[in-house]
Amino acid sequence: MTTYDLALIGFGGVNRSLAELIASRGEALRAELGFGLRVVAITDLRLGSLMDANGIDLSMALALGGDSGSGGDTFARYGGSAEPDNEAVIRGCTADIICEATFTNPDDGEPAVSHVRWALESGKNVCTTNKGPVALRGRELAALAARQGVRFEFEGAVMSGTPVIRLARQMFSGLKLNGFEGIMNGTSNYVLGRMEAGLDLGEAVREAQELGYAEANPAADLEGFDVQLKVLILANELLGGNLQLKDVQREGISAVTPEDIRVAASAGRRWKLIGSARRTPDGGIEAGVAPRAIDLVHSLAGISGATNAVSFETDLLGPVTVSGPGAGRIETAYALLSDIIAIHQAAEGRGAAGSVQAAAEDGGLARV
Amino acid sequence: MTTYDLALIGFGGVNRSLAELIASRGEALRAELGFGLRVVAITDLRLGSLMDANGIDLSMALALGGDSGSGGDTFARYGGSAEPDNEAVIRGCTADIICEATFTNPDDGEPAVSHVRWALESGKNVCTTNKGPVALRGRELAALAARQGVRFEFEGAVMSGTPVIRLARQMFSGLKLNGFEGIMNGTSNYVLGRMEAGLDLGEAVREAQELGYAEANPAADLEGFDVQLKVLILANELLGGNLQLKDVQREGISAVTPEDIRVAASAGRRWKLIGSARRTPDGGIEAGVAPRAIDLVHSLAGISGATNAVSFETDLLGPVTVSGPGAGRIETAYALLSDIIAIHQAAEGRGAAGSVQAAAEDGGLARV
């Protein structure tokens, strides 16, 4: 039976959760999926890096760092290095698949873009949960993957492990996808819901921060930067666009007032931060993110709290909506697992329809 | 390029819409999907039957019967028979795929069960939009298909063309599916929504009938019989159950009063007719359909009007919900097209993971 060797780049919450999944249910996954998983390299800013072509002891690695970590220990103590050495590890390790879950600078997508590029250049498959490489360098990286004959998968870049990109690619064959609109940021959706319950913006944001939804600087969530990247990804990947970040208009929720919310409620409406894109009659794509007061019967009106959703506008079915978690360590680790399954299916000659590479080559999904 | 020859059994709204799709965008589908479609047999209660191994002229067939039909003409005028001759056509025609869209008796699933059986016995792939064969004879028919080396597909049996069965099979690999709950009948959901707006049950039902949602005898919708069959299908197909109809408890919405609805609303709740199934600790499956007053933040609370939705309870992602149309001629015709695409992918060696046959053989999807 096939075993895939993995390198985990970034050993924070997401890749830790993936390692826990492999450690706790690797055998069950092997029985269900028909392949095994083994981790042969890990790099992390705090822990350094470790390579072992025979497989790293995951219980050792998971005991390092994290909340239950053993002091200042690094991988140096286990034959590795106290420095992350990302490029050397990505290029030099024996992994079949690089699981990239570091961080991403929204301006240039680094360091994740370089991680992905190094992996593809050295002939390794990549799955990433980072929006940056896909949103800002998606076309270039997909073309590189195609030239190298490897896969570039990124389901976790939008709505964590909730199937969105792969769902649209595989479940809508024969349909024409005319556009989409979605609630793709849980923090801003939570804040708007709490404002509807009577809090003002500042109170709602503080509550979201206390619950761990919002970061210390919540601008990426509240001002629509996060959703802007996700809209860019979906517009390019699912509608065949070639948009740049500047082509996605952006407006956040900070100007929405309690009065706006009261007025909307009295008219049977509810404010939501909607990211959307649609084909225009001239063959282009119009994309943006902005707060909108939508009717309570709108397919996104009932998406509450930190839940995310995307509603696809199809010609034969009308709107089809998928909702689920938009974040979370385990939820995002599952996205990586779903990417690994897709890489396996491609290796077996399955799942080629609607593949990332095919889509990249023809400028997005061919549509009727 | 491959061309699949189809037999359309039942030439009412659904198969007519499929024929229209093939006639109007057959070339575009061929370019996108990599195969062509040709209709070589049609049977219909009113029009009789027609076979032509070289392909039936669809514009002729579509002009017969229907709203714009030409009087009492039948296929007899075009070299066919004025009688449907379903068994002879299904067994004797040259089709690769039988598209079954007749009607189904909820007691024994006939005549659709026989149509499916004749097709499988004669070595033909089947796609059906009928709940009966899947709900009442699913295991037997899937086993027959496996023995014959052909496919038995039925995405349209639940929520028309909205991907539900195939979505759960293909998008949730590596997850444990613990159960589901859904709004799977548009008529009853519409009626409950109108009762929330102030109508009583009778007024709401009459309105639904005027809009074409509810049939003259609305019992199948309002008393939960329709949802009961759908729950049975999903419980057996996705949770690996071997339930019979009697194992799915059934209660409709006819006992829900305006007072119930007012009380629920004042408590932040809303009545919905929920079909559900879940694994029990002893390894069994508990399944039923009943009206429930769910919290407004419940993932199904925002599903309004005739829209349908199923919320899957997964271990790693929590609830993931898909919503979309639950009925409609074109929407259901798309379900048949999606089944044909699945048959094509299986023929090419793709899409075998999560296949109907594999699931039937091991008693449902293998799950971690």
Side-chain angles (χ1 to χ4, degrees):
Chain A
M1 187 180 284
T2 308
T3 292
Y4 293 108
D5 285 347
L6 310 181
L8 310 184
I9 307 305
F11 202 54
V14 172
N15 266 338
R16 260 176 201 277
S17 289
L18 181 62
E20 284 162 0
L21 269 179
I22 294 169
S24 65
R25 52 166 94 171
E27 283 311 307
L29 287 172
R30 182 187 291 262
E32 181 191 357
L33 302 173
F35 60 83
L37 294 173
R38 185 169 68 166
V39 176
V40 297
I42 302 177
T43 74
D44 185 74
L45 264 182
R46 299 160 307 154
L47 302 180
S49 58
L50 182 62
M51 288 193 278
D52 186 340
N54 295 314
I56 291 172
D57 176 356
L58 292 179
S59 59
M60 173 278 289
L62 287 165
L64 281 184
D67 297 336
S68 58
S70 44
D73 263 10
T74 71
F75 287 131
R77 188 175 153 192
Y78 298 90
S81 158
E83 299 297 318
D85 296 336
N86 280 319
E87 181 166 6
V89 171
I90 290 171
R91 291 190 188 274
C93 73
T94 54
D96 306 299
I97 303 172
I98 304 289
C99 299
E100 209 285 334
T102 61
F103 52 96
T104 197
N105 176 329
D107 293 327
D108 61 4
E110 293 296 354
V113 167
S114 290
H115 297 163
V116 173
R117 191 182 286 121
W118 296 331
L120 297 174
E121 283 174 355
S122 57
K124 299 180 175 81
N125 300 285
V126 174
C127 44
T128 182
T129 59
N130 267 314
K131 296 181 291 293
V134 194
L136 306 177
R137 293 284 181 273
R139 189 165 279 236
E140 164 200 334
L141 294 170
L144 175 58
R147 284 199 304 276
Q148 295 286 79
V150 294
R151 310 284 304 182
F152 173 41
E153 301 283 342
F154 41 78
E155 181 63 54
V158 179
M159 280 176 64
S160 72
T162 306
V164 175
I165 296 169
R166 201 165 283 125
L167 186 154
R169 288 195 194 291
Q170 295 186 3
M171 295 290 127
F172 293 157
S173 298
L175 291 178
K176 184 160 167 40
L177 186 60
N178 292 317
F180 63 84
E181 50 186 13
I183 292 172
M184 293 184 269
N185 181 271
T187 303
S188 54
N189 199 50
Y190 179 85
V191 166
L192 287 173
R194 295 301 291 151
M195 289 177 71
E196 204 173 321
L199 276 60
D200 70 24
L201 180 71
E203 293 165 341
V205 170
R206 276 192 296 279
E207 194 178 280
Q209 286 169 330
E210 282 160 20
L211 288 166
Y213 294 156
E215 302 186 27
N217 177 356
D221 295 324
L222 302 183
E223 298 304 335
F225 291 104
D226 174 64
V227 177
Q228 187 184 31
L229 287 168
K230 292 169 179 167
V231 167
L232 181 58
I233 290 171
L234 295 184
N236 285 346
E237 296 300 324
L238 303 183
L239 301 180
N242 190 17
L243 304 186
Q244 311 294 313
L245 192 60
K246 64 176 170 47
D247 301 322
V248 182
Q249 298 172 29
R250 181 190 53 76
E251 182 187 341
I253 64 167
S254 57
V256 177
T257 65
E259 175 64 12
D260 290 333
I261 287 180
R262 276 191 297 274
V263 169
S266 69
R269 292 181 166 266
R270 174 176 287 160
W271 285 91
K272 293 288 187 189
L273 183 62
I274 305 285
S276 65
R278 64 179 53 79
R279 299 184 194 281
T280 56
D282 64 359
I285 295 172
E286 195 175 74
V289 46
R292 277 170 48 197
I294 60 176
D295 196 289
L296 287 180
V297 302
H298 188 287
S299 55
L300 297 175
I303 305 301
S304 60
T307 302
N308 281 199
V310 173
S311 188
F312 300 99
E313 183 58 41
T314 72
D315 61 341
L316 299 180
L317 296 177
V320 174
T321 305
V322 61
S323 66
R329 306 159 47 132
I330 296 170
E331 294 84 348
T332 310
Y334 175 70
L336 291 175
L337 179 60
S338 77
D339 286 344
I340 293 167
I341 293 168
I343 290 167
H344 171 69
Q345 290 176 340
E348 293 210 319
R350 292 184 281 135
S355 73
V356 175
Q357 265 73 259
E361 283 161 28
D362 70 5
L365 289 182
R367 291 293 177 192
V368 177
Chain B
M1 186 180 286
T2 308
T3 291
Y4 294 108
D5 285 346
L6 310 181
L8 309 183
I9 308 304
F11 202 53
V14 172
N15 266 337
R16 260 176 201 275
S17 290
L18 181 62
E20 284 162 1
L21 269 178
I22 294 168
S24 65
R25 52 166 95 172
E27 283 310 308
L29 287 171
R30 183 187 290 262
E32 180 191 359
L33 303 173
F35 60 83
L37 294 173
R38 185 169 67 167
V39 177
V40 297
I42 302 176
T43 73
D44 185 73
L45 265 183
R46 298 161 306 156
L47 302 179
S49 59
L50 182 63
M51 288 193 279
D52 185 341
N54 295 314
I56 292 172
D57 175 357
L58 293 178
S59 58
M60 174 278 289
L62 287 165
L64 281 184
D67 298 336
S68 58
S70 42
D73 265 8
T74 72
F75 287 131
R77 188 175 153 191
Y78 299 88
S81 158
E83 299 298 318
D85 296 335
N86 280 318
E87 182 166 6
V89 170
I90 290 171
R91 292 191 188 275
C93 72
T94 55
D96 306 298
I97 303 171
I98 303 289
C99 299
E100 208 285 334
T102 61
F103 52 96
T104 197
N105 176 329
D107 293 327
D108 61 3
E110 294 293 355
V113 168
S114 291
H115 296 164
V116 173
R117 192 181 287 121
W118 296 331
L120 298 174
E121 283 174 354
S122 56
K124 299 179 175 80
N125 300 285
V126 174
C127 44
T128 182
T129 60
N130 267 315
K131 296 182 291 294
V134 194
L136 305 177
R137 293 284 181 273
R139 191 165 278 236
E140 164 200 335
L141 294 171
L144 174 58
R147 285 199 304 276
Q148 296 285 78
V150 295
R151 310 285 303 182
F152 173 41
E153 302 283 342
F154 41 77
E155 181 62 55
V158 179
M159 279 177 65
S160 72
T162 306
V164 176
I165 297 169
R166 201 164 283 126
L167 186 154
R169 288 196 196 290
Q170 296 187 1
M171 295 289 126
F172 293 157
S173 298
L175 291 177
K176 185 161 168 35
L177 186 59
N178 292 317
F180 64 84
E181 51 187 12
I183 292 171
M184 294 184 269
N185 181 272
T187 303
S188 55
N189 198 51
Y190 178 85
V191 165
L192 286 172
R194 295 300 289 150
M195 287 176 72
E196 204 174 321
L199 274 60
D200 70 24
L201 179 72
E203 293 165 341
V205 170
R206 276 191 297 280
E207 194 177 281
Q209 287 169 329
E210 283 161 18
L211 288 166
Y213 295 156
E215 303 186 25
N217 177 354
D221 295 324
L222 301 184
E223 299 305 335
F225 292 104
D226 174 65
V227 177
Q228 187 184 30
L229 288 168
K230 292 169 179 167
V231 167
L232 182 59
I233 291 171
L234 295 184
N236 285 346
E237 296 299 325
L238 303 183
L239 301 180
N242 190 18
L243 304 186
Q244 311 294 312
L245 191 61
K246 65 178 169 46
D247 301 321
V248 182
Q249 297 171 30
R250 180 191 53 76
E251 182 187 342
I253 64 167
S254 57
V256 177
T257 65
E259 175 64 11
D260 291 333
I261 287 180
R262 276 191 297 273
V263 169
S266 69
R269 293 182 166 266
R270 173 177 288 160
W271 285 91
K272 293 290 187 189
L273 182 62
I274 305 287
S276 65
R278 64 180 51 78
R279 299 183 194 282
T280 56
D282 64 0
I285 296 172
E286 195 174 73
V289 46
R292 277 170 48 198
I294 60 175
D295 196 290
L296 287 180
V297 303
H298 187 289
S299 55
L300 297 175
I303 305 300
S304 61
T307 302
N308 281 199
V310 173
S311 188
F312 299 99
E313 183 58 40
T314 72
D315 62 340
L316 299 181
L317 296 176
V320 175
T321 305
V322 62
S323 66
R329 309 160 44 135
I330 296 170
E331 294 84 348
T332 310
Y334 175 71
L336 292 175
L337 180 60
S338 77
D339 286 344
I340 293 168
I341 293 169
I343 290 168
H344 171 69
Q345 290 175 341
E348 293 210 319
R350 291 185 282 134
S355 72
V356 175
Q357 266 74 259
E361 282 160 30
D362 70 6
L365 290 183
R367 291 294 178 191
V368 177

